[in-house]
């Protein structure tokens, strides 16, 4: 009888013990806490689930095999690559997957995101800029809240800003009156009735005030680019892909930047390399915005 009581007591103690939980060490959502997830993937835990809901049907594996990669892990793999710009081998090691699998997952997520922007590309030799470096010239328009309103990501790095603008849909929209108002551009862009550029030489007080206001307003796009690049280090590392794939990745991160800004996610204080100096110079063509700019200076900045 005493032996039976001891066995019953032992059974009761075992039942009261905390059940052991075996975590999936290849799933970062189980491996890291909330702050570690944000630092590594640039988005919060709940954000990854929202992205999965948004993109899941487009990125899920076409196979019905039991061990296909779940969409949420596809999202995390792509986010890690965008955040670091690491080799696919390094990114894949974090999840215990082969580099070719990581590459395929990054491609799916990037394609799905980039479809929300227009983006094509040309031949690789055209992507060598005047410094002999492969690069892509990304044109973007943002609002005061650092949200990208328009992006053109398909031109070689040596292409002049004015050419990109002239051949863009946004230019045609302004020219036809479909969109009204003013854009602010630096001296690499042409002066137009709807695009205000700075004066090369400010000859008086009102012109100096115009240039000062123009510079302060234009700083918003510079700040937006800084926030964008700090969140996604792949943008200032070398993307080891074809120009076509680079354009898709850049477009994908632009979409993710807007999502992060609308959610009010905090910026990162990572240092980024100094921007390459302006290799295009000032635009020296003739456009018909002179009178509009003069009226703006006289009426607003006098």
């Amino acid at each position: 009888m005493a032996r039976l009581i001891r066995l019953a007591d032992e059974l009761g103690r075992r039942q009261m013990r905390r059940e052991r939980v075996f975590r999936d060490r290849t799933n970062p959502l189980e491996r890291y806490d909330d702050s570690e997830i944000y630092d590594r993937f640039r988005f919060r835990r709940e954000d990854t689930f929202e992205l999965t809901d948004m993109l899941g049907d487009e990125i899920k594996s076409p196979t019905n095999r039991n061990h296909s990669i779940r969409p949420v892990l596809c999202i995390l793999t792509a986010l890690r690559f965008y955040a670091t710009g690491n080799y696919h081998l390094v990114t894949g090691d974090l999840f215990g997957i082969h580099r070719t699998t990581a590459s395929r997952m990054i491609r799916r997520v990037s394609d799905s995101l980039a479809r929300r922007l227009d983006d094509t590309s040309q031949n690789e030799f055209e992507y060598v800029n005047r410094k002999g470096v492969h690069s892509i010239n990304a044109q973007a328009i943002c609002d005061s809240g650092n949200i990208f309103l328009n992006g053109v990501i398909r031109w070689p790095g040596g292409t002049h800003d004015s050419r990109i603008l002239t051949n863009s849909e946004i230019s045609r929209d302004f020219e036809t009156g479909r969109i009204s108002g003013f854009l602010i551009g630096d001296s690499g862009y042409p002066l137009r009735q709807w695009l205000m550029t700075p004066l090369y030489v400010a000859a008086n007080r009102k012109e100096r005030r115009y240039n000062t206001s123009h510079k302060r307003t234009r700083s918003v796009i510079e700040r937006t680019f800084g926030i964008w690049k700090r969140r996604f280090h792949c943008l200032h590392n070398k993307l080891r892909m074809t120009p076509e794939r680079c354009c898709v990745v850049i477009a994908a991160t632009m979409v993710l930047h807007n999502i992060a800004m609308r959610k009010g996610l905090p910026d990162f204080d990572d240092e980024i390399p100094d921007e390459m100096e302006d290799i295009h110079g000032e635009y020296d063509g003739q456009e018909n915005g002179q009178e509009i700019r003069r009226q703006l200076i006289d009426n607003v900045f006098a």
Side-chain angles (χ1 to χ4, degrees), residues 27-49 76 79-80 83 268:
N27 186 348
L29 296 181
E30 295 188 7
R31 189 189 318 176
Y32 302 121
D33 62 27
D34 290 343
S35 63
E36 291 173 329
I37 288 173
Y38 191 70
D39 287 341
R40 285 167 172 77
F41 301 98
R42 295 338 205 196
F43 282 87
R44 301 168 302 185
R45 187 187 305 270
E46 58 267 30
D47 300 326
T48 65
F49 293 130
L76 290 170
L79 290 180
R80 183 59 178 169
F268 290 85

PDB file of all heavy atoms in Angstrom, residues 27-49 76 79-80 83 268:
ATOM      1  N   ASN A  27      13.179  28.918 -36.925  1.00  0.00           N
ATOM      2  CA  ASN A  27      12.148  29.949 -37.063  1.00  0.00           C
ATOM      3  C   ASN A  27      12.529  31.141 -36.190  1.00  0.00           C
ATOM      4  O   ASN A  27      12.430  31.080 -34.963  1.00  0.00           O
ATOM      5  CB  ASN A  27      10.794  29.393 -36.639  1.00  0.00           C
ATOM      6  CG  ASN A  27       9.670  30.380 -36.897  1.00  0.00           C
ATOM      7  OD1 ASN A  27       9.913  31.554 -37.185  1.00  0.00           O
ATOM      8  ND2 ASN A  27       8.438  29.923 -36.785  1.00  0.00           N
ATOM      9  N   PRO A  28      12.964  32.246 -36.793  1.00  0.00           N
ATOM     10  CA  PRO A  28      13.387  33.400 -36.007  1.00  0.00           C
ATOM     11  C   PRO A  28      12.293  33.961 -35.110  1.00  0.00           C
ATOM     12  O   PRO A  28      12.588  34.585 -34.092  1.00  0.00           O
ATOM     13  CB  PRO A  28      13.799  34.425 -37.078  1.00  0.00           C
ATOM     14  CG  PRO A  28      14.121  33.612 -38.279  1.00  0.00           C
ATOM     15  CD  PRO A  28      13.157  32.451 -38.233  1.00  0.00           C
ATOM     16  N   LEU A  29      11.034  33.770 -35.476  1.00  0.00           N
ATOM     17  CA  LEU A  29       9.953  34.286 -34.652  1.00  0.00           C
ATOM     18  C   LEU A  29       9.886  33.564 -33.311  1.00  0.00           C
ATOM     19  O   LEU A  29       9.327  34.087 -32.345  1.00  0.00           O
ATOM     20  CB  LEU A  29       8.619  34.153 -35.392  1.00  0.00           C
ATOM     21  CG  LEU A  29       8.488  34.979 -36.673  1.00  0.00           C
ATOM     22  CD1 LEU A  29       7.119  34.767 -37.291  1.00  0.00           C
ATOM     23  CD2 LEU A  29       8.732  36.451 -36.415  1.00  0.00           C
ATOM     24  N   GLU A  30      10.438  32.374 -33.243  1.00  0.00           N
ATOM     25  CA  GLU A  30      10.504  31.653 -31.978  1.00  0.00           C
ATOM     26  C   GLU A  30      11.866  31.803 -31.310  1.00  0.00           C
ATOM     27  O   GLU A  30      11.992  31.664 -30.098  1.00  0.00           O
ATOM     28  CB  GLU A  30      10.216  30.164 -32.212  1.00  0.00           C
ATOM     29  CG  GLU A  30       8.804  29.889 -32.700  1.00  0.00           C
ATOM     30  CD  GLU A  30       8.489  28.402 -32.744  1.00  0.00           C
ATOM     31  OE1 GLU A  30       9.327  27.614 -32.261  1.00  0.00           O
ATOM     32  OE2 GLU A  30       7.419  28.042 -33.251  1.00  0.00           O
ATOM     33  N   ARG A  31      12.875  32.112 -32.093  1.00  0.00           N
ATOM     34  CA  ARG A  31      14.232  32.197 -31.571  1.00  0.00           C
ATOM     35  C   ARG A  31      14.524  33.538 -30.909  1.00  0.00           C
ATOM     36  O   ARG A  31      15.277  33.612 -29.943  1.00  0.00           O
ATOM     37  CB  ARG A  31      15.228  31.971 -32.705  1.00  0.00           C
ATOM     38  CG  ARG A  31      16.671  31.815 -32.254  1.00  0.00           C
ATOM     39  CD  ARG A  31      17.636  31.815 -33.415  1.00  0.00           C
ATOM     40  NE  ARG A  31      17.155  31.041 -34.554  1.00  0.00           N
ATOM     41  CZ  ARG A  31      17.804  30.961 -35.710  1.00  0.00           C
ATOM     42  NH1 ARG A  31      18.946  31.619 -35.866  1.00  0.00           N
ATOM     43  NH2 ARG A  31      17.322  30.258 -36.695  1.00  0.00           N
ATOM     44  N   TYR A  32      13.947  34.624 -31.434  1.00  0.00           N
ATOM     45  CA  TYR A  32      14.279  35.972 -30.975  1.00  0.00           C
ATOM     46  C   TYR A  32      13.100  36.634 -30.270  1.00  0.00           C
ATOM     47  O   TYR A  32      11.936  36.323 -30.553  1.00  0.00           O
ATOM     48  CB  TYR A  32      14.707  36.848 -32.157  1.00  0.00           C
ATOM     49  CG  TYR A  32      15.897  36.316 -32.927  1.00  0.00           C
ATOM     50  CD1 TYR A  32      15.788  36.032 -34.293  1.00  0.00           C
ATOM     51  CD2 TYR A  32      17.117  36.104 -32.302  1.00  0.00           C
ATOM     52  CE1 TYR A  32      16.869  35.554 -35.010  1.00  0.00           C
ATOM     53  CE2 TYR A  32      18.205  35.620 -33.010  1.00  0.00           C
ATOM     54  CZ  TYR A  32      18.076  35.345 -34.363  1.00  0.00           C
ATOM     55  OH  TYR A  32      19.143  34.868 -35.060  1.00  0.00           O
ATOM     56  N   ASP A  33      13.442  37.586 -29.398  1.00  0.00           N
ATOM     57  CA  ASP A  33      12.384  38.380 -28.779  1.00  0.00           C
ATOM     58  C   ASP A  33      12.017  39.528 -29.712  1.00  0.00           C
ATOM     59  O   ASP A  33      12.580  39.687 -30.800  1.00  0.00           O
ATOM     60  CB  ASP A  33      12.807  38.880 -27.391  1.00  0.00           C
ATOM     61  CG  ASP A  33      14.023  39.803 -27.429  1.00  0.00           C
ATOM     62  OD1 ASP A  33      14.252  40.482 -28.460  1.00  0.00           O
ATOM     63  OD2 ASP A  33      14.762  39.849 -26.428  1.00  0.00           O
ATOM     64  N   ASP A  34      11.075  40.376 -29.288  1.00  0.00           N
ATOM     65  CA  ASP A  34      10.543  41.409 -30.177  1.00  0.00           C
ATOM     66  C   ASP A  34      11.607  42.408 -30.629  1.00  0.00           C
ATOM     67  O   ASP A  34      11.650  42.784 -31.800  1.00  0.00           O
ATOM     68  CB  ASP A  34       9.395  42.147 -29.477  1.00  0.00           C
ATOM     69  CG  ASP A  34       8.159  41.284 -29.316  1.00  0.00           C
ATOM     70  OD1 ASP A  34       8.069  40.251 -30.017  1.00  0.00           O
ATOM     71  OD2 ASP A  34       7.298  41.620 -28.486  1.00  0.00           O
ATOM     72  N   SER A  35      12.455  42.860 -29.703  1.00  0.00           N
ATOM     73  CA  SER A  35      13.469  43.841 -30.070  1.00  0.00           C
ATOM     74  C   SER A  35      14.509  43.239 -31.010  1.00  0.00           C
ATOM     75  O   SER A  35      14.994  43.900 -31.936  1.00  0.00           O
ATOM     76  CB  SER A  35      14.159  44.395 -28.818  1.00  0.00           C
ATOM     77  OG  SER A  35      14.846  43.369 -28.119  1.00  0.00           O
ATOM     78  N   GLU A  36      14.854  41.975 -30.800  1.00  0.00           N
ATOM     79  CA  GLU A  36      15.819  41.311 -31.675  1.00  0.00           C
ATOM     80  C   GLU A  36      15.240  41.112 -33.067  1.00  0.00           C
ATOM     81  O   GLU A  36      15.955  41.248 -34.071  1.00  0.00           O
ATOM     82  CB  GLU A  36      16.220  39.966 -31.068  1.00  0.00           C
ATOM     83  CG  GLU A  36      17.062  40.080 -29.805  1.00  0.00           C
ATOM     84  CD  GLU A  36      17.292  38.745 -29.130  1.00  0.00           C
ATOM     85  OE1 GLU A  36      16.406  37.860 -29.233  1.00  0.00           O
ATOM     86  OE2 GLU A  36      18.355  38.582 -28.501  1.00  0.00           O
ATOM     87  N   ILE A  37      13.967  40.810 -33.143  1.00  0.00           N
ATOM     88  CA  ILE A  37      13.325  40.670 -34.442  1.00  0.00           C
ATOM     89  C   ILE A  37      13.355  41.992 -35.199  1.00  0.00           C
ATOM     90  O   ILE A  37      13.691  42.037 -36.391  1.00  0.00           O
ATOM     91  CB  ILE A  37      11.872  40.167 -34.280  1.00  0.00           C
ATOM     92  CG1 ILE A  37      11.869  38.699 -33.853  1.00  0.00           C
ATOM     93  CG2 ILE A  37      11.072  40.350 -35.571  1.00  0.00           C
ATOM     94  CD1 ILE A  37      10.505  38.155 -33.517  1.00  0.00           C
ATOM     95  N   TYR A  38      13.047  43.086 -34.522  1.00  0.00           N
ATOM     96  CA  TYR A  38      13.027  44.388 -35.189  1.00  0.00           C
ATOM     97  C   TYR A  38      14.420  44.780 -35.672  1.00  0.00           C
ATOM     98  O   TYR A  38      14.584  45.306 -36.778  1.00  0.00           O
ATOM     99  CB  TYR A  38      12.466  45.455 -34.249  1.00  0.00           C
ATOM    100  CG  TYR A  38      12.177  46.760 -34.950  1.00  0.00           C
ATOM    101  CD1 TYR A  38      11.125  46.860 -35.847  1.00  0.00           C
ATOM    102  CD2 TYR A  38      12.973  47.888 -34.726  1.00  0.00           C
ATOM    103  CE1 TYR A  38      10.862  48.045 -36.515  1.00  0.00           C
ATOM    104  CE2 TYR A  38      12.709  49.076 -35.388  1.00  0.00           C
ATOM    105  CZ  TYR A  38      11.654  49.147 -36.277  1.00  0.00           C
ATOM    106  OH  TYR A  38      11.410  50.316 -36.953  1.00  0.00           O
ATOM    107  N   ASP A  39      15.434  44.543 -34.841  1.00  0.00           N
ATOM    108  CA  ASP A  39      16.800  44.881 -35.223  1.00  0.00           C
ATOM    109  C   ASP A  39      17.264  44.081 -36.432  1.00  0.00           C
ATOM    110  O   ASP A  39      17.971  44.602 -37.298  1.00  0.00           O
ATOM    111  CB  ASP A  39      17.759  44.632 -34.061  1.00  0.00           C
ATOM    112  CG  ASP A  39      17.620  45.664 -32.957  1.00  0.00           C
ATOM    113  OD1 ASP A  39      17.071  46.746 -33.239  1.00  0.00           O
ATOM    114  OD2 ASP A  39      18.059  45.391 -31.832  1.00  0.00           O
ATOM    115  N   ARG A  40      16.874  42.838 -36.514  1.00  0.00           N
ATOM    116  CA  ARG A  40      17.377  41.957 -37.567  1.00  0.00           C
ATOM    117  C   ARG A  40      16.582  42.030 -38.860  1.00  0.00           C
ATOM    118  O   ARG A  40      17.126  41.814 -39.938  1.00  0.00           O
ATOM    119  CB  ARG A  40      17.388  40.506 -37.067  1.00  0.00           C
ATOM    120  CG  ARG A  40      18.524  40.226 -36.093  1.00  0.00           C
ATOM    121  CD  ARG A  40      18.322  38.907 -35.379  1.00  0.00           C
ATOM    122  NE  ARG A  40      19.486  38.543 -34.584  1.00  0.00           N
ATOM    123  CZ  ARG A  40      19.790  39.080 -33.405  1.00  0.00           C
ATOM    124  NH1 ARG A  40      18.985  40.008 -32.887  1.00  0.00           N
ATOM    125  NH2 ARG A  40      20.875  38.712 -32.756  1.00  0.00           N
ATOM    126  N   PHE A  41      15.288  42.312 -38.754  1.00  0.00           N
ATOM    127  CA  PHE A  41      14.435  42.269 -39.939  1.00  0.00           C
ATOM    128  C   PHE A  41      13.815  43.618 -40.301  1.00  0.00           C
ATOM    129  O   PHE A  41      13.124  43.733 -41.304  1.00  0.00           O
ATOM    130  CB  PHE A  41      13.333  41.222 -39.749  1.00  0.00           C
ATOM    131  CG  PHE A  41      13.861  39.845 -39.502  1.00  0.00           C
ATOM    132  CD1 PHE A  41      13.951  39.337 -38.218  1.00  0.00           C
ATOM    133  CD2 PHE A  41      14.298  39.065 -40.552  1.00  0.00           C
ATOM    134  CE1 PHE A  41      14.454  38.073 -37.978  1.00  0.00           C
ATOM    135  CE2 PHE A  41      14.813  37.790 -40.331  1.00  0.00           C
ATOM    136  CZ  PHE A  41      14.897  37.296 -39.038  1.00  0.00           C
ATOM    137  N   ARG A  42      14.025  44.629 -39.460  1.00  0.00           N
ATOM    138  CA  ARG A  42      13.545  45.999 -39.713  1.00  0.00           C
ATOM    139  C   ARG A  42      12.030  46.125 -39.659  1.00  0.00           C
ATOM    140  O   ARG A  42      11.480  47.177 -39.989  1.00  0.00           O
ATOM    141  CB  ARG A  42      14.027  46.503 -41.067  1.00  0.00           C
ATOM    142  CG  ARG A  42      15.503  46.695 -41.309  1.00  0.00           C
ATOM    143  CD  ARG A  42      16.367  46.872 -40.109  1.00  0.00           C
ATOM    144  NE  ARG A  42      17.587  47.608 -40.431  1.00  0.00           N
ATOM    145  CZ  ARG A  42      18.669  47.650 -39.650  1.00  0.00           C
ATOM    146  NH1 ARG A  42      18.676  46.953 -38.524  1.00  0.00           N
ATOM    147  NH2 ARG A  42      19.710  48.370 -39.970  1.00  0.00           N
ATOM    148  N   PHE A  43      11.351  45.079 -39.256  1.00  0.00           N
ATOM    149  CA  PHE A  43       9.911  45.114 -39.048  1.00  0.00           C
ATOM    150  C   PHE A  43       9.584  44.332 -37.785  1.00  0.00           C
ATOM    151  O   PHE A  43      10.342  43.449 -37.370  1.00  0.00           O
ATOM    152  CB  PHE A  43       9.157  44.513 -40.240  1.00  0.00           C
ATOM    153  CG  PHE A  43       9.055  45.435 -41.422  1.00  0.00           C
ATOM    154  CD1 PHE A  43      10.066  45.479 -42.371  1.00  0.00           C
ATOM    155  CD2 PHE A  43       7.961  46.266 -41.572  1.00  0.00           C
ATOM    156  CE1 PHE A  43       9.984  46.333 -43.459  1.00  0.00           C
ATOM    157  CE2 PHE A  43       7.866  47.131 -42.649  1.00  0.00           C
ATOM    158  CZ  PHE A  43       8.877  47.166 -43.593  1.00  0.00           C
ATOM    159  N   ARG A  44       8.451  44.647 -37.182  1.00  0.00           N
ATOM    160  CA  ARG A  44       8.047  43.979 -35.951  1.00  0.00           C
ATOM    161  C   ARG A  44       7.445  42.613 -36.266  1.00  0.00           C
ATOM    162  O   ARG A  44       7.135  42.290 -37.413  1.00  0.00           O
ATOM    163  CB  ARG A  44       7.016  44.841 -35.210  1.00  0.00           C
ATOM    164  CG  ARG A  44       7.512  46.227 -34.835  1.00  0.00           C
ATOM    165  CD  ARG A  44       6.381  47.117 -34.386  1.00  0.00           C
ATOM    166  NE  ARG A  44       5.365  47.248 -35.428  1.00  0.00           N
ATOM    167  CZ  ARG A  44       4.308  48.051 -35.329  1.00  0.00           C
ATOM    168  NH1 ARG A  44       4.129  48.788 -34.244  1.00  0.00           N
ATOM    169  NH2 ARG A  44       3.415  48.103 -36.310  1.00  0.00           N
ATOM    170  N   ARG A  45       7.282  41.826 -35.200  1.00  0.00           N
ATOM    171  CA  ARG A  45       6.723  40.489 -35.342  1.00  0.00           C
ATOM    172  C   ARG A  45       5.351  40.537 -36.027  1.00  0.00           C
ATOM    173  O   ARG A  45       5.092  39.798 -36.979  1.00  0.00           O
ATOM    174  CB  ARG A  45       6.593  39.841 -33.958  1.00  0.00           C
ATOM    175  CG  ARG A  45       6.165  38.375 -33.979  1.00  0.00           C
ATOM    176  CD  ARG A  45       5.895  37.898 -32.556  1.00  0.00           C
ATOM    177  NE  ARG A  45       7.038  38.126 -31.690  1.00  0.00           N
ATOM    178  CZ  ARG A  45       8.028  37.238 -31.499  1.00  0.00           C
ATOM    179  NH1 ARG A  45       7.976  36.072 -32.104  1.00  0.00           N
ATOM    180  NH2 ARG A  45       9.033  37.522 -30.693  1.00  0.00           N
ATOM    181  N   GLU A  46       4.478  41.444 -35.540  1.00  0.00           N
ATOM    182  CA  GLU A  46       3.136  41.507 -36.111  1.00  0.00           C
ATOM    183  C   GLU A  46       3.151  42.007 -37.552  1.00  0.00           C
ATOM    184  O   GLU A  46       2.274  41.664 -38.355  1.00  0.00           O
ATOM    185  CB  GLU A  46       2.222  42.387 -35.260  1.00  0.00           C
ATOM    186  CG  GLU A  46       2.704  43.827 -35.080  1.00  0.00           C
ATOM    187  CD  GLU A  46       3.531  44.007 -33.829  1.00  0.00           C
ATOM    188  OE1 GLU A  46       4.206  43.040 -33.411  1.00  0.00           O
ATOM    189  OE2 GLU A  46       3.507  45.129 -33.265  1.00  0.00           O
ATOM    190  N   ASP A  47       4.157  42.821 -37.889  1.00  0.00           N
ATOM    191  CA  ASP A  47       4.260  43.314 -39.259  1.00  0.00           C
ATOM    192  C   ASP A  47       4.556  42.185 -40.235  1.00  0.00           C
ATOM    193  O   ASP A  47       4.060  42.187 -41.367  1.00  0.00           O
ATOM    194  CB  ASP A  47       5.352  44.373 -39.366  1.00  0.00           C
ATOM    195  CG  ASP A  47       5.092  45.575 -38.483  1.00  0.00           C
ATOM    196  OD1 ASP A  47       3.918  45.929 -38.306  1.00  0.00           O
ATOM    197  OD2 ASP A  47       6.064  46.154 -37.958  1.00  0.00           O
ATOM    198  N   THR A  48       5.374  41.222 -39.810  1.00  0.00           N
ATOM    199  CA  THR A  48       5.685  40.095 -40.695  1.00  0.00           C
ATOM    200  C   THR A  48       4.444  39.274 -40.998  1.00  0.00           C
ATOM    201  O   THR A  48       4.281  38.771 -42.115  1.00  0.00           O
ATOM    202  CB  THR A  48       6.774  39.194 -40.076  1.00  0.00           C
ATOM    203  OG1 THR A  48       6.270  38.594 -38.875  1.00  0.00           O
ATOM    204  CG2 THR A  48       8.015  39.996 -39.745  1.00  0.00           C
ATOM    205  N   PHE A  49       3.549  39.168 -40.017  1.00  0.00           N
ATOM    206  CA  PHE A  49       2.306  38.435 -40.259  1.00  0.00           C
ATOM    207  C   PHE A  49       1.394  39.206 -41.219  1.00  0.00           C
ATOM    208  O   PHE A  49       0.721  38.605 -42.065  1.00  0.00           O
ATOM    209  CB  PHE A  49       1.590  38.158 -38.939  1.00  0.00           C
ATOM    210  CG  PHE A  49       2.318  37.202 -38.037  1.00  0.00           C
ATOM    211  CD1 PHE A  49       2.539  37.516 -36.713  1.00  0.00           C
ATOM    212  CD2 PHE A  49       2.805  35.997 -38.521  1.00  0.00           C
ATOM    213  CE1 PHE A  49       3.217  36.646 -35.870  1.00  0.00           C
ATOM    214  CE2 PHE A  49       3.479  35.112 -37.698  1.00  0.00           C
ATOM    215  CZ  PHE A  49       3.690  35.438 -36.372  1.00  0.00           C
ATOM    216  N   LEU A  76      10.470  36.534 -44.056  1.00  0.00           N
ATOM    217  CA  LEU A  76      11.598  36.796 -43.156  1.00  0.00           C
ATOM    218  C   LEU A  76      12.929  36.681 -43.887  1.00  0.00           C
ATOM    219  O   LEU A  76      13.858  37.463 -43.623  1.00  0.00           O
ATOM    220  CB  LEU A  76      11.552  35.831 -41.976  1.00  0.00           C
ATOM    221  CG  LEU A  76      10.417  36.058 -40.971  1.00  0.00           C
ATOM    222  CD1 LEU A  76      10.337  34.887 -39.995  1.00  0.00           C
ATOM    223  CD2 LEU A  76      10.613  37.366 -40.208  1.00  0.00           C
ATOM    224  N   LEU A  79      13.283  39.873 -45.913  1.00  0.00           N
ATOM    225  CA  LEU A  79      13.513  41.024 -45.043  1.00  0.00           C
ATOM    226  C   LEU A  79      14.946  41.034 -44.517  1.00  0.00           C
ATOM    227  O   LEU A  79      15.568  42.100 -44.399  1.00  0.00           O
ATOM    228  CB  LEU A  79      12.529  41.014 -43.875  1.00  0.00           C
ATOM    229  CG  LEU A  79      11.061  41.306 -44.204  1.00  0.00           C
ATOM    230  CD1 LEU A  79      10.216  41.245 -42.933  1.00  0.00           C
ATOM    231  CD2 LEU A  79      10.902  42.662 -44.884  1.00  0.00           C
ATOM    232  N   ARG A  80      15.453  39.846 -44.176  1.00  0.00           N
ATOM    233  CA  ARG A  80      16.834  39.775 -43.695  1.00  0.00           C
ATOM    234  C   ARG A  80      17.822  40.176 -44.778  1.00  0.00           C
ATOM    235  O   ARG A  80      18.797  40.874 -44.513  1.00  0.00           O
ATOM    236  CB  ARG A  80      17.138  38.356 -43.201  1.00  0.00           C
ATOM    237  CG  ARG A  80      18.545  38.200 -42.610  1.00  0.00           C
ATOM    238  CD  ARG A  80      18.763  39.119 -41.433  1.00  0.00           C
ATOM    239  NE  ARG A  80      20.082  38.913 -40.860  1.00  0.00           N
ATOM    240  CZ  ARG A  80      20.635  39.724 -39.945  1.00  0.00           C
ATOM    241  NH1 ARG A  80      19.974  40.782 -39.516  1.00  0.00           N
ATOM    242  NH2 ARG A  80      21.832  39.476 -39.470  1.00  0.00           N
ATOM    243  N   ALA A  83      17.679  43.935 -45.219  1.00  0.00           N
ATOM    244  CA  ALA A  83      18.254  44.635 -44.071  1.00  0.00           C
ATOM    245  C   ALA A  83      19.768  44.598 -44.065  1.00  0.00           C
ATOM    246  O   ALA A  83      20.407  45.499 -43.508  1.00  0.00           O
ATOM    247  CB  ALA A  83      17.719  44.035 -42.764  1.00  0.00           C
ATOM    248  N   PHE A 268      16.290  53.922 -38.006  1.00  0.00           N
ATOM    249  CA  PHE A 268      17.514  53.332 -37.479  1.00  0.00           C
ATOM    250  C   PHE A 268      18.617  54.376 -37.541  1.00  0.00           C
ATOM    251  O   PHE A 268      18.644  55.236 -38.436  1.00  0.00           O
ATOM    252  CB  PHE A 268      17.906  52.102 -38.300  1.00  0.00           C
ATOM    253  CG  PHE A 268      16.968  50.944 -38.105  1.00  0.00           C
ATOM    254  CD1 PHE A 268      15.803  50.846 -38.845  1.00  0.00           C
ATOM    255  CD2 PHE A 268      17.241  49.968 -37.176  1.00  0.00           C
ATOM    256  CE1 PHE A 268      14.927  49.784 -38.660  1.00  0.00           C
ATOM    257  CE2 PHE A 268      16.379  48.899 -36.974  1.00  0.00           C
ATOM    258  CZ  PHE A 268      15.214  48.812 -37.723  1.00  0.00           C
TER     259      PHE A 268
END
